[in-house]
Amino acid sequence: GQQVMQIPQYQHVQEGEDFTTYCNSSTTLSNIQWYKQRPGGHPVFLIQLVKSGEVKKQKRLTFQFGEAKKNSSLHITATQTTDVGTYFCAGRGSSNDYKLSFGAGTTVTVRA
Amino acid sequence: GAVVSQHPSRVICKSGTSVKIECRSLDFQATTMFWYRQFPKQSLMLMATSNEGSKATYEQGVEKDKFLINHASLTLSTLTVTSAHPEDSSFYICSARKTGLITGELFFGEGSRLTVL
């Protein structure tokens, strides 16, 4: 199956600054999902990207799916303390594949 | 949104005993549920796929006789850690997908933290 790599593993951000986390797959993905896990909590679905080059925004969060459908990124602007947590990307190899391969996650801490 | 309930949230047991963890989809049917193990500050490691009415599909390296999975109904899957040892201590988390939506989002349970003494 595909391997999904995510960088950086840790991101320390000054409140108000922007940052980006990147996700790369060894193979082409049919779609990619992003989840957020707050400290002590469980992963919560954020968004799904399906189309090549797709860009979706959720307030200060911008998600992008690469043209080759092998990479994705999550960009957060004007970071707030509520953005603290671990962000996981998860890719599906084919449209019939019921399993998701999770990246290692990017753990975000915010300096006030 | 859909809710997945996992119980117990924390369990401490003695080495050699068995522990059962339940995963319930409260307001939707889930033909397929997934069981993960998560070590501190690490990603979700898929252990097995639980299929309603049939045998679970285990990932490579996961002992099926050690981690028994039963998916008896469309809303309940259970994971039993048999003859638990301290190395089995971990955070176990389940997820479910709504029946018929193979590409849909996953809804995660709250997780169960197992400590084996």
Side-chain angles (χ1 to χ4, degrees), chain A residues 20-79:
Chain A
T20 304
T21 173
Y22 301 90
C23 188
N24 293 288
S25 170
S26 56
T27 58
T28 302
L29 301 172
S30 61
N31 59 63
I32 195 161
Q33 298 178 356
W34 284 88
Y35 292 81
K36 178 182 179 181
Q37 183 176 21
R38 293 182 184 276
H42 61 279
V44 175
F45 175 81
L46 292 177
I47 209 158
Q48 176 171 275
L49 303 171
V50 180
K51 299 177 182 178
S52 169
E54 187 171 14
V55 177
K56 288 188 177 180
K57 291 188 176 183
Q58 288 181 351
K59 298 183 179 179
R60 295 178 295 102
L61 277 63
T62 301
F63 303 85
Q64 188 167 7
F65 202 7
E67 294 290 341
K69 300 183 75 173
K70 295 179 71 173
N71 58 71
S72 180
S73 65
L74 160 59
H75 181 77
I76 299 182
T77 58
T79 303

